[in-house]
Amino acid sequence: GQQVMQIPQYQHVQEGEDFTTYCNSSTTLSNIQWYKQRPGGHPVFLIQLVKSGEVKKQKRLTFQFGEAKKNSSLHITATQTTDVGTYFCAGPNAGNNRKLIWGLGTSLAVNP
Amino acid sequence: NAGVTQTPKFRVLKTGQSMTLLCAQDMNHEYMYWYRQDPGMGLRLIHYSVGEGTTAKGEVPDGYNVSRLKKQNFLLGLESAAPSQTSVYFCASSYFLANTYEQYFGPGTRLTVT
């Protein structure tokens, strides 16, 4: 079945270091969404990418959607302790786009 | 604007007991979802609804039932709780407009079944 895979599962960085998480889909996606979940919190929508090769920035966060629309990445420049959490990517189910297929997430820990 | 709210926030059940989790949204969203989140398993869809009076099964529907009698509310029921249903339950809602349908999540219900 359709799958969305994220790597790495965990990442531990020193504050100030960069961080990247990658999302790979088994199928071409019409769009991809990114969410952040703080420890003990709930997922919060960050961004949606729709176009092939699209790049969007939110302050220190850079999101990319691959040319083939099967992969995506989230890069954080100069991490801060406020970046701690789990980052999920999700794409529409090919057979029913009312449902999302979720990656398992990348948990980011930042040492101050 | 409260967004998505869930009640209760925490609950401990004994095996075999029943309960209902309530989700309410005030954003006039058509779509609503129930997920469970377990360590290392990500978010798994239990049931969802694309409108008032309609529900559909997700990936892990067994042991759960849902109802959407009003557009703003989505109820998740456990008829006979089992320890395997110990989890964090999230409700989410979304609109669907021109290929844009970000999901808004509630704060979650932490359920323990002993």
Side-chain angles (χ1 to χ4, degrees):
Chain A
Q2 184 181 0
Q3 289 185 324
V4 171
M5 293 148 285
Q6 274 187 263
I7 53 170
Q9 190 175 0
Y10 303 99
Q11 185 85 53
H12 217 127
V13 300
Q14 287 295 127
E15 191 171 22
E17 291 182 339
D18 292 356
F19 159 77
T20 304
T21 174
Y22 299 92
C23 183
N24 295 295
S25 171
S26 59
T27 62
T28 301
L29 299 171
S30 59
N31 67 77
I32 193 158
Q33 301 178 22
W34 286 91
Y35 293 76
K36 176 183 179 181
Q37 184 177 22
R38 294 181 187 273
H42 60 276
V44 175
F45 175 82
L46 293 176
I47 208 162
Q48 178 175 284
L49 305 173
V50 178
K51 299 176 183 176
S52 169
E54 188 170 14
V55 178
K56 286 188 176 180
K57 292 190 176 184
Q58 290 180 349
K59 298 183 180 177
R60 293 177 295 103
L61 277 61
T62 301
F63 302 85
Q64 294 190 9
F65 200 11
E67 294 290 340
K69 302 183 77 172
K70 292 184 71 174
N71 53 69
S72 180
S73 64
L74 158 58
H75 179 81
I76 303 179
T77 303
T79 54
Q80 299 176 358
T81 54
T82 53
D83 296 324
V84 165
T86 301
Y87 293 85
F88 293 97
C89 62
N93 182 302
N96 179 350
N97 63 8
R98 294 173 174 84
K99 301 189 293 184
L100 291 176
I101 303 294
W102 293 81
L104 294 183
T106 295
S107 293
L108 173 64
V110 179
N111 281 345
Chain B
N1 222 0
V4 181
T5 58
Q6 292 183 234
T7 52
K9 288 185 169 51
F10 302 94
R11 186 73 186 268
V12 178
L13 284 181
K14 293 186 177 179
T15 297
Q17 287 184 321
S18 63
M19 76 165 295
T20 300
L21 284 68
L22 172 64
C23 175
Q25 53 94 4
D26 61 2
M27 296 174 281
N28 202 35
H29 286 170
E30 288 293 333
Y31 298 172
M32 296 187 75
Y33 308 83
W34 275 108
Y35 293 94
R36 61 176 289 173
Q37 186 174 43
D38 304 291
M41 302 290 288
L43 289 160
R44 292 186 291 170
L45 183 64
I46 305 171
H47 286 280
Y48 66 102
S49 168
V50 300
E52 182 179 314
T54 70
T55 63
K57 293 181 180 179
E59 301 171 63
V60 289
D62 293 343
Y64 305 94
N65 56 73
V66 288
S67 64
R68 183 118 180 254
L69 299 179
K70 293 184 179 180
K71 186 177 184 179
Q72 63 268 35
N73 296 336
F74 195 27
L75 279 62
L76 178 71
L78 287 73
E79 289 188 347
S80 180
S84 60
Q85 294 178 304
T86 292
S87 188
V88 180
Y89 291 86
F90 288 105
C91 175
S93 70
S94 72
Y95 54 86
F96 187 86
L97 180 65
N99 206 29
T100 299
Y101 36 99
E102 63 190 78
Q103 294 190 4
Y104 296 78
F105 283 78
T109 295
R110 281 146 183 82
L111 175 66
T112 301
V113 183
T114 60

